[in-house]
Amino acid sequence: LPPCTAQPITCDVQPNPVTNGAIIVVNGDLKFADGRTTKYAETFCINPVASAPGQFYIHNHVFRIQA
């Protein structure tokens, strides 16, 4: 991608009781330096780090540009 900034519009979080993590879905706009914008959707799963209480890691990540 060319340089851009992400402008999140919505963020939904669903707890995952199996892993004590969460599934997160974000929708928003990507704004490019030339003024163009396009929609994006991002979904990722976070799980706790077993050896570091209170810390999480990204287990799965999906990023989709809705052109």
Side-chain angles (χ1 to χ4, degrees):
L1 285 175
C4 61
T5 58
Q7 301 290 320
I9 296 172
T10 63
C11 179
D12 300 297
V13 180
Q14 177 70 42
N16 183 345
V18 175
T19 66
N20 292 320
I23 300 168
I24 303 166
V25 179
V26 179
N27 291 290
D29 294 322
L30 291 178
K31 297 190 179 195
F32 297 94
D34 65 4
R36 293 178 299 127
T37 62
T38 191
K39 301 285 185 195
Y40 77 93
E42 185 172 23
T43 303
F44 51 99
C45 299
I46 60 171
N47 290 331
V49 176
S51 62
Q55 293 185 11
F56 292 82
Y57 70 95
I58 297 174
H59 182 74
N60 294 61
H61 181 237
V62 178
F63 185 83
R64 179 175 184 226
I65 295 176
Q66 300 172 354

